[in-house]
Amino acid sequence: MSDPEPIRRSLPKLGFCVQPSAICSVADYGPPPPTTGSPNTYVRYTHYALMVYGYNRIPIVGWMKKNAEESLTHAGRAGEMVTLLGGHPSLGIGPLLESDTHDVGDMLRESLEHETQAREAYGRLLEIVAGKHILLEEYARELIVDEELHADEVNKMLRRPGETGAFQF
């Protein structure tokens, strides 16, 4: 395996902190730049699922619960990357933001913003590790694909029936 030390030194630019000779995820969607797959994301989607009412509640709640569970999987993978590099994963979950908006459309727009920020964070990780650490490079690529697919799902959910163009904020 290639020497991870230059990667460790560059990761704080991404919103990762350096613990003694390792990286750890420190924030979810707030300063510093976001990381994803954190317990904060789990809380966000679980909260959204609890706040959905109306005729389409069952499929929307199911979709949000699926995203909550996937965020725990992502958090576990991030922890494995931290320990792979010799570190100790953080117990911090970042700020829990309550928008007090419980309209499904508003929750989906927040989700789309969340997915976009996640994709951008993984893109920055990929830029830093490309050609330097194959495992982290592939990890970043896989998560970029996941976030692109999530954003596409949300984008389609935000469209009015019959509209084929991408949702625009």
Side-chain angles (χ1 to χ4, degrees), residues 49-64:
L50 294 170
M51 300 311 299
V52 174
Y53 298 96
Y55 296 114
N56 294 320
R57 183 177 197 282
I58 292 171
I60 294 170
V61 166
W63 180 83
M64 289 184 175

Side-chain angles (χ1 to χ4, degrees), residues 51-116:
M51 300 311 299
V52 174
Y53 298 96
Y55 296 114
N56 294 320
R57 183 177 197 282
I58 292 171
I60 294 170
V61 166
W63 180 83
M64 289 184 175
K65 286 180 177 180
K66 182 185 92 171
N67 279 304
E69 292 300 321
E70 187 170 291
S71 73
L72 289 181
T73 300
H74 283 194
R77 289 185 70 197
E80 291 295 339
M81 291 297 119
V82 169
T83 57
L84 173 116
L85 293 170
H88 182 274
S90 170
L91 289 175
I93 65 169
L96 295 173
L97 305 174
E98 167 64 65
S99 66
D100 293 318
T101 304
H102 300 115
D103 173 77
V104 172
D106 291 337
M107 288 187 276
L108 290 173
R109 282 184 283 281
E110 287 178 12
S111 179
L112 183 59
E113 182 179 340
H114 176 81
E115 300 296 344
T116 300

